[in-house]
Amino acid sequence: MDKKLFQFPKDFVWGAATASYQIEGGWNEDGKGESIWDRFSHTPGKVQDGDTGDAACDHYHRWADDLNLMKELDLKAYRLSISWPRILPAGRGGVNETGIDFYSRMIDRLLELNIEPYITLYHWDLPQKLQDEGGWASRSVVDAFVEYTDAISNALGDRVKNWITLNEPWVSAFIGYREGRHAPGHTDMHEALAASHHLLLAHGLSVPVIRRNSPNANVGITLNLSPQVPASPSVADRVQATWADGYINRWFLDPLVGRGYPQDMVNDYRDEMEFVKTGDMDVMSVPVDFIGVNYYTRNIARSEKISEAENAPCTVIRGDEITEMDWEVYPEGLYKTLGRLYFDYDFPAIYVTENGAAFVDEVGADGEVDDPARLSYIKRHLEQVHRAVEAGIPVKGYFAWSLMDNFEWGFGYSKRFGLIHVNYETQKRTFKSSAKWYRQAIQRNAVD
Ligand code: IFM
């Protein structure tokens, strides 16, 4: 039987993504300030095996070679993030020209190679100096973000035409300030709520600044989204799923499109929301050109309020294909998420700004890295993207996470997400079989 060929639209954007702290290293070089992740990873017990991003993939020194690898992969686009403390070491006031220069040279080279840069302004490496005044929980950080946005979009806006203000503000706010598994490692729900609000405010105030400095740019924001499915038809599980959807998805989606914070969540948080000021909700619903979605898995919601015995029989069984992150492989959730963004929220364009999987990779005796599980993961998710495009959903591009293995936050270097294998002892890069497959997909503009 002939295999089905999933052909993508002509202008579909094929890319890969990284983030500054996860790959750059050079943590204290050339005038860079300390970030909250430098501080967090240098604190014993915070990151698995005591790993830090001090050297990471040494991309700060090897960026030119890494760009050549991107070309070899035939990437059409590269999503990178800027390290805020490399640009403004103290978070505000006093630009570090060496930092600007680093990114400026990289952008020039990307354009020379015909690789379109997509810049994320904030992928979690807040300058520590701003954390010292309260971090995202403090409203004063919002102005500092706008100042930073102005500095970097002014420097690069003539050449960079795709901007993402924030990466996964839910993670910044709730994993950083409520669960404490990420920097700054706090465990305070009120701080987390305030942080989420200030992040969205910072986004809203930055969009017009980018538009002013970068005429004709596409500006958007990236959220981590996942379907929240009740484990059973019991009322308790359904309530739990609705709550989880409000907590992770709607808390960010609704204000972005001008619906305000979801009322069911506000009912829970009302007493803690004094940080919302008149006009804030208008600011954060500034129109965007696109929404970015980072999709990895779904969540099956089960209420803890009732016992296993009392609960209705489980109707949703977690699939048995699980990644190293303990995340279920559930490609259809990507289709559902894309559909929701278009049909329920009406975003004019959508990019999958991250999708990928961590699996154990080994370099074989022949020096090759064969990673069929990752290849299959990416292929099946791309099929769902194709399905969405066919359904009329305006999905404009797909960025694999990640270009190369890197520092996976609290897990250090123990989880590998890369298309390119990195030997952290030697910094040798090796294309995995998924990378070779991805190159072929890019070249054919199709998946089969
Ligand atoms: O590595 C992270 C990335 O920084 C943000 N999105 C999820 C990825 C995998 O956990």
Side-chain angles (χ1 to χ4, degrees):
M1 203 173 73
D2 280 349
K3 277 204 287 177
K4 183 161 182 213
L5 188 70
F6 299 94
Q7 191 73 48
F8 282 78
K10 259 214 230 38
D11 53 356
F12 191 76
V13 175
W14 296 88
T18 64
S20 47
Y21 188 76
Q22 294 182 272
I23 64 165
E24 283 180 6
W27 77 281
N28 58 359
E29 283 184 49
D30 298 334
K32 177 183 166 290
E34 187 188 15
S35 80
I36 55 173
W37 269 95
D38 295 318
R39 178 70 62 92
F40 190 73
S41 68
H42 293 160
T43 309
K46 296 296 186 190
V47 174
Q48 191 172 325
D49 305 322
D51 288 344
T52 73
D54 290 4
C57 305
D58 196 31
H59 177 72
Y60 186 65
H61 301 109
R62 295 167 193 261
W63 65 269
D65 292 341
D66 288 338
L67 264 52
N68 288 337
L69 291 178
M70 291 177 211
K71 191 65 200 169
E72 214 176 308
L73 204 50
D74 231 339
L75 287 187
K76 304 299 174 221
Y78 173 47
R79 175 178 175 237
L80 68 147
S81 81
I82 306 281
S83 159
W84 182 351
R86 235 184 247 297
I87 305 302
L88 292 161
R92 58 158 74 83
V95 170
N96 175 29
E97 291 301 335
T98 321
I100 299 259
D101 231 52
F102 168 65
Y103 293 109
S104 190
R105 282 182 287 132
M106 198 182 322
I107 297 303
D108 284 343
R109 180 65 182 143
L110 282 168
L111 293 174
E112 243 171 62
L113 293 170
N114 269 323
I115 301 173
E116 193 62 28
Y118 282 64
I119 283 194
T120 306
L121 290 173
Y122 185 70
H123 199 129
W124 309 350
D125 38 4
L126 184 74
Q128 179 62 39
K129 283 265 193 260
L130 295 179
Q131 186 55 47
D132 296 343
E133 57 182 74
W136 285 110
S138 154
R139 197 173 174 103
S140 62
V141 168
V142 174
D143 287 346
F145 184 75
V146 175
E147 184 181 331
Y148 157 61
T149 301
D150 190 33
I152 195 71
S153 59
N154 195 23
L156 307 180
D158 55 336
R159 289 156 290 156
V160 174
K161 292 298 167 192
N162 298 282
W163 296 87
I164 295 164
T165 53
L166 306 175
N167 181 70
E168 303 184 6
W170 179 81
V171 173
S172 300
F174 292 99
I175 306 297
Y177 291 85
R178 181 196 182 198
E179 294 190 19
R181 288 187 285 120
H182 279 192
H186 294 192
T187 50
D188 181 319
M189 183 58 166
H190 179 255
E191 276 196 28
L193 286 170
S196 67
H197 185 73
H198 297 140
L199 281 155
L200 283 173
L201 205 55
H203 155 78
L205 289 170
S206 289
V207 171
V209 174
I210 301 169
R211 293 203 192 288
R212 192 183 65 224
N213 289 337
S214 183
N216 306 319
N218 286 314
V219 188
I221 180 171
T222 280
L223 303 181
N224 54 297
L225 299 171
S226 50
Q228 306 294 321
V229 190
S232 79
S234 73
V235 172
D237 285 347
R238 281 200 222 143
V239 168
Q240 179 60 28
T242 305
W243 183 85
D245 184 48
Y247 177 55
I248 295 175
N249 301 323
R250 290 179 289 121
W251 188 253
F252 293 89
L253 284 169
D254 285 14
L256 285 174
V257 299
R259 295 180 193 167
Y261 288 118
Q263 193 55 48
D264 55 333
M265 305 309 287
V266 172
N267 292 345
D268 276 7
Y269 301 148
R270 193 190 311 273
D271 298 340
E272 306 204 54
M273 290 182 61
E274 82 299 334
F275 45 76
V276 181
K277 307 288 180 220
T278 313
D280 285 2
M281 305 315 288
D282 290 337
V283 168
M284 52 182 75
S285 59
V286 60
V288 288
D289 301 304
F290 66 89
I291 181 92
V293 52
N294 293 353
Y295 176 81
Y296 290 91
T297 188
R298 69 172 166 179
N299 176 45
I300 300 172
R302 175 172 284 279
S303 170
E304 282 165 12
K305 295 201 176 114
I306 47 175
S307 70
E308 198 77 16
E310 282 173 296
N311 208 338
C314 195
T315 50
V316 179
I317 314 282
R318 194 173 182 241
D320 51 15
E321 208 183 335
I322 307 291
T323 75
E324 273 293 288
M325 299 294 282
D326 198 28
W327 295 344
E328 179 192 6
V329 179
Y330 185 64
E332 208 178 331
L334 178 54
Y335 174 70
K336 291 182 180 155
T337 302
L338 294 169
R340 185 181 195 190
L341 289 173
Y342 185 53
F343 296 115
D344 296 356
Y345 284 95
D346 209 15
F347 283 104
I350 308 168
Y351 288 89
V352 178
T353 40
E354 284 182 29
N355 174 243
F359 290 107
V360 174
D361 295 313
E362 267 153 34
V363 184
D366 54 1
E368 302 284 321
V369 183
D370 195 24
D371 60 340
R374 181 175 297 101
L375 188 158
S376 159
Y377 178 102
I378 293 178
K379 175 174 176 320
R380 283 177 290 157
H381 283 78
L382 274 164
E383 286 171 10
Q384 296 297 326
V385 173
H386 184 271
R387 191 176 158 206
V389 172
E390 293 277 282
I393 300 165
V395 192
K396 303 296 181 192
Y398 174 93
F399 291 78
W401 183 269
S402 175
L403 174 73
M404 58 179 127
D405 294 336
N406 57 50
F407 178 85
E408 178 54 25
W409 308 111
F411 295 96
Y413 297 100
S414 67
K415 310 282 183 230
R416 293 178 177 272
F417 274 91
L419 295 170
I420 299 175
H421 181 274
V422 176
N423 176 327
Y424 295 110
E425 309 267 292
T426 62
Q427 293 293 354
K428 181 172 168 16
R429 275 69 160 145
T430 307
F431 276 29
K432 301 179 189 175
S433 46
S434 58
K436 296 177 190 165
W437 175 88
Y438 192 54
R439 171 171 53 200
Q440 200 185 48
I442 297 173
Q443 289 169 346
R444 299 165 77 189
N445 198 29
V447 169
D448 66 6

